[in-house]
Amino acid sequence: MTPRFIVIFVALLATAGCSHAIRVVTTPDAKESEQHLIARAFSGSSNDDYTRGKFSNPLAGTLTVTSPYGVKRAGNRKNEGVDLRATLRTKVRAINSGKVVLVARFPQEGLMTIIDHGRGIFSIYMHLSDVSVKQNEMVKSGQTVAYSGDTGEG
């Protein structure tokens, strides 16, 4: 049976320009494409349940959705996540406990992090200015994992 994945996608859009240095853990090159790195992150999904309690918001305070799931974008692409407004360098928290399976910078998504929460549940954070966790690190629910930014083209 093919595993079922639930992906909780959060794109954080900054309301100011980004002038901070970006620490990159993984950068795709000719040998390993963006799609391959992302597919590899999802393929290692754990059957363990890392979650603790309810899932929480990745940002403190009231959330402002700037682009809901399913909205069509340039090039007739569909937004497959929810974009949230945040001021530049706002703390981004893990929505639940899990294992960081990817920290990378891509042209479209910018600096991004993927967390495996176990049992096929992942959260993806994109367009970050900086990341405060490392690949393969275990994180706790509510832990600061990154800071909002405006990296990437998408």
Side-chain angles (χ1 to χ4, degrees):
M1 185 165 126
T2 304
R4 188 185 92 166
F5 294 108
I6 299 170
V7 177
I8 301 162
F9 167 88
V10 178
L12 300 160
L13 304 175
T15 58
C18 178
S19 61
H20 303 284
I22 296 171
R23 182 170 42 94
V24 177
V25 174
T26 305
T27 302
D29 57 22
K31 295 179 185 174
E32 199 163 34
S33 71
E34 175 179 345
Q35 292 81 16
H36 179 74
L37 284 171
I38 293 171
R40 189 173 71 191
F42 287 129
S43 69
S45 177
S46 173
N47 288 326
D48 295 334
D49 183 359
Y50 299 129
T51 60
R52 300 290 177 263
K54 293 180 180 181
F55 282 78
S56 62
N57 290 328
L59 303 171
T62 304
L63 298 181
T64 301
V65 175
T66 59
S67 181
Y69 177 84
V71 170
K72 291 210 176 182
R73 292 190 163 173
N76 222 12
R77 293 183 5 196
K78 185 169 78 168
N79 185 11
E80 295 184 36
V82 175
D83 296 355
L84 303 174
R85 175 168 286 127
T87 56
L88 185 65
R89 299 214 30 93
T90 297
K91 290 181 180 181
V92 178
R93 304 176 307 198
I95 60 171
N96 211 315
S97 299
K99 181 179 180 181
V100 177
V101 293
L102 182 67
V103 176
R105 183 164 202 249
F106 299 119
Q108 189 71 26
E109 295 84 359
L111 184 58
M112 69 181 279
T113 299
I114 299 176
I115 299 175
D116 177 2
H117 300 286
R119 300 184 315 156
I121 301 172
F122 294 86
S123 57
I124 305 172
Y125 310 85
M126 297 181 176
H127 309 297
L128 305 168
S129 64
D130 198 8
V131 175
S132 57
V133 293
K134 296 180 177 138
Q135 206 158 309
N136 298 316
E137 182 178 336
M138 297 301 293
V139 297
K140 294 180 180 174
S141 182
Q143 177 180 336
T144 299
V145 294
Y147 296 87
S148 63
D150 63 356
T151 61
E153 300 169 5

